[in-house]
Amino acid sequence: MTRPLKIMLVAAEASGDALGAGLADALKARLGDEVMFVGVGGARMAEAGVASPFDITDLSVLGWLEGLRAYGVVRRRVAETAALAAAERPDAVVLIDSWGFTIRVARAIRARLPHTPLIKYVGPQVWASRPGRARTLAASVDHLLALYAFDAPWFEREGLPTTVVGSQALHVDMGGADPAAFRAARGIAAAAPLLLVLPGSRRSEIRLMTPVYEAAVVRLKKADPTLEVAVVAAGAVADRVAAEVASWPFRAHLVPEAEKYSAMKAATVALATSGTVSTELALAGVPMVISYRFQPLSYAIMKPFFTGKYATLFNHAADEEIARELIQDDATPEKLAAEAGRLLADPEARAGQAARQTAALDLMGREGRDPSEIAADAVLRVIAAKQGR
C-alpha cells in the first residue's frame, strides 16, 4: 500500500494563510485520505489540517527598517521551518507569498533536500519594483503559481515554469453578505452615508495608518456630522485596531472579520490601506481611496526600487489610476479627506469609479475556475513529473 502524499505548505501572514487553506482544501477534495500536510501557517491553515510549529504573527513585516528589526526572529523561524522539512521529508514544498521569509526558506530547504520540488505560490510584484527578483526566484524554486497573466512573462523569461492560477480575491463569494442587516444591527439608516475604513492587517500598518485615518475622518465628520464610520479589524491585528478606535473622538462601528463583506456591501465609500482588500472592495462595488505609509527611512531606501506606475492591482491592469492612490508623503489627512469627501458628495463620481473598477477586474481574469483548484492541479503535476509518473 502506497503512503499518502505529504505536502508542506508555508505561509507567514494572513493573506498567505488564506491561500494555503484554500490549496489544502482543494488537494483534500481531490485526494481525500491520500494526502497529508505539514508546514507553517495561521488559524485558517490549522483548520485545514496544517499544524504550525510556531505563531506566524511576528513574521508579518513590510519595509527595510521593519525587516532589520525582525531579522533575528526571521532567521530562527527560517531555521525551524527548514528543520521541519528535513524531518518530514515532504513530496513537495509550497512557499506562499511573503517574499523575504519564503525565499530564505526556499534556499534553506534546497540546501537540506536538494531533490524536493519547491513551488512558489504568488511571485513578487516585479512589475512594480525590483525586477531582478524574477531571476532570484528562478534560481531558487522549481515552479511558480502566479496570480495574474501579466505576472508570467517576467518569470518565464528567466526560465521559471509558471502556471497562472488567478487570484482568490477575484473569486470571493459575497453571496452571504447582508448590507441591510449590517446597517440595521448598528442603527445606521439605509440612506445614511457610510465610510468604511480598512487600516490593514500588519502591525506596522495599524501603527502608521490609523492616526492618519482618524484625522481624515475628523475632517469628514466636521463637513458632514451625519456621516457614519465603520472600521474593519482584521484577524491578527483585531485587538490593536479595537484599542486604537476606542480612543477616537467620534463613534466608529468596529467590524469583525466575519462581517467584512457585509460592511463592504453596505459602504458608500472606503478608505483602504493598499493590499488585497482593494480587489475585494472593487468586487463589492465600493468606490475607494487607497493609501499607504512606510517608516520614513524604509521608504527612502525602497523608493528607488519602485518602477511601476501604480500600487493597486486593478489600476495596474487598467493602466489608469481608477482609484486614487495616496502613498507616503501624499497620505495625509487633508488629502484623504478631500478625495473621500469628493466621492461622498458626488453620486455620479461614485457610480463611475465603481463601474471602472469592475471593468478592470475583468482585465485581471475575474471569470474562470477557482484558483485553489488550478493551484492544486499544478502542484500535483510538479510532483508527478519529479517522481517520473
Side-chain angles (χ1 to χ4, degrees):
M1 181 176 178
T2 59
R3 68 169 179 82
L5 280 179
K6 183 185 290 185
I7 298 177
M8 183 172 183
L9 306 177
V10 179
E13 58 186 359
S15 57
D17 183 43
L19 289 176
L23 177 56
D25 287 341
L27 287 165
K28 284 188 293 184
R30 192 74 46 84
L31 299 176
D33 294 336
E34 297 304 308
V35 65
M36 61 180 294
F37 303 101
V38 295
V40 172
R44 295 186 64 176
M45 284 171 60
E47 292 174 0
V50 185
S52 181
F54 53 78
D55 186 348
I56 65 172
T57 304
D58 290 337
L59 296 174
S60 183
V61 295
L62 187 66
W64 287 67
L65 192 59
E66 295 84 349
L68 286 172
R69 288 179 180 143
Y71 183 65
V73 173
V74 171
R75 281 192 64 184
R76 289 196 301 274
R77 298 314 192 197
V78 167
E80 291 171 25
T81 305
L84 178 65
E88 294 288 349
R89 306 188 72 82
D91 294 290
V93 180
V94 183
L95 304 157
I96 307 168
D97 211 349
S98 302
W99 170 260
F101 179 68
T102 56
I103 194 66
R104 289 171 172 82
V105 171
R107 290 165 174 164
I109 293 178
R110 178 59 47 89
R112 289 189 175 215
L113 301 172
H115 303 297
T116 299
L118 303 181
I119 301 163
K120 185 72 171 69
Y121 190 177
V122 187
Q125 293 180 342
V126 293
W127 48 266
S129 69
R130 286 170 281 188
R133 286 180 168 183
R135 181 171 298 175
T136 300
L137 186 63
S140 305
V141 303
D142 301 294
H143 201 93
L144 170 65
L145 307 178
L147 300 190
Y148 306 105
F150 55 70
D151 287 322
W154 292 85
F155 300 95
E156 291 172 337
R157 282 196 294 265
E158 301 298 338
L160 180 60
T162 300
T163 300
V164 177
V165 301
S167 171
Q168 198 64 53
L170 291 169
H171 294 260
V172 168
D173 180 7
M174 295 193 181
D178 192 337
F182 177 87
R183 283 178 171 256
R186 291 160 177 81
I188 303 172
L194 173 60
L195 178 71
L196 183 63
V197 178
L198 301 102
S201 60
R202 296 182 174 96
R203 292 176 180 178
S204 60
E205 291 168 348
I206 305 308
R207 184 176 68 254
L208 294 169
M209 293 307 305
T210 49
V212 181
Y213 291 131
E214 176 187 354
V217 177
V218 165
R219 287 166 170 77
L220 291 167
K221 291 279 286 182
K222 186 174 181 181
D224 180 5
T226 70
L227 179 66
E228 296 277 0
V229 181
V231 183
V232 173
V237 294
D239 290 346
R240 289 179 178 238
V241 173
E244 292 276 355
V245 171
S247 67
W248 285 7
F250 49 83
R251 184 179 70 166
H253 305 280
L254 205 63
V255 182
E257 191 87 29
E259 293 186 76
K260 179 174 68 173
Y261 297 138
S262 291
M264 288 180 177
K265 286 282 192 178
T268 309
V269 172
L271 287 175
T273 297
S274 180
T276 305
V277 72
S278 62
T279 301
E280 295 175 328
L281 285 166
L283 281 170
V286 188
M288 72 197 83
V289 180
I290 299 296
S291 62
Y292 207 94
R293 276 190 175 182
F294 300 86
Q295 288 282 8
L297 180 57
S298 289
Y299 186 71
I301 296 170
M302 295 167 66
K303 188 176 180 182
F305 298 98
F306 293 144
T307 55
K309 291 167 66 175
Y310 306 112
T312 305
L313 286 167
F314 63 74
N315 283 349
H316 175 75
D319 195 23
E320 174 192 358
E321 192 178 32
I322 299 170
R324 185 79 167 94
E325 295 183 359
L326 298 170
I327 309 299
Q328 201 62 11
D329 293 341
D330 285 328
T332 65
E334 295 81 6
K335 290 186 177 182
L336 264 68
E339 291 294 333
R342 174 182 61 82
L343 289 170
L344 286 165
D346 189 343
E348 289 187 5
R350 293 199 301 272
Q353 180 170 323
R356 293 197 305 278
Q357 290 172 179
T358 299
L361 295 180
D362 292 335
L363 295 174
M364 291 166 63
R366 184 164 53 140
E367 301 299 328
R369 288 175 64 205
D370 182 89
S372 294
E373 295 180 1
I374 301 173
D377 286 344
V379 169
L380 295 176
R381 283 199 307 273
V382 171
I383 294 172
K386 191 71 173 181
Q387 296 179 346
R389 295 203 304 264

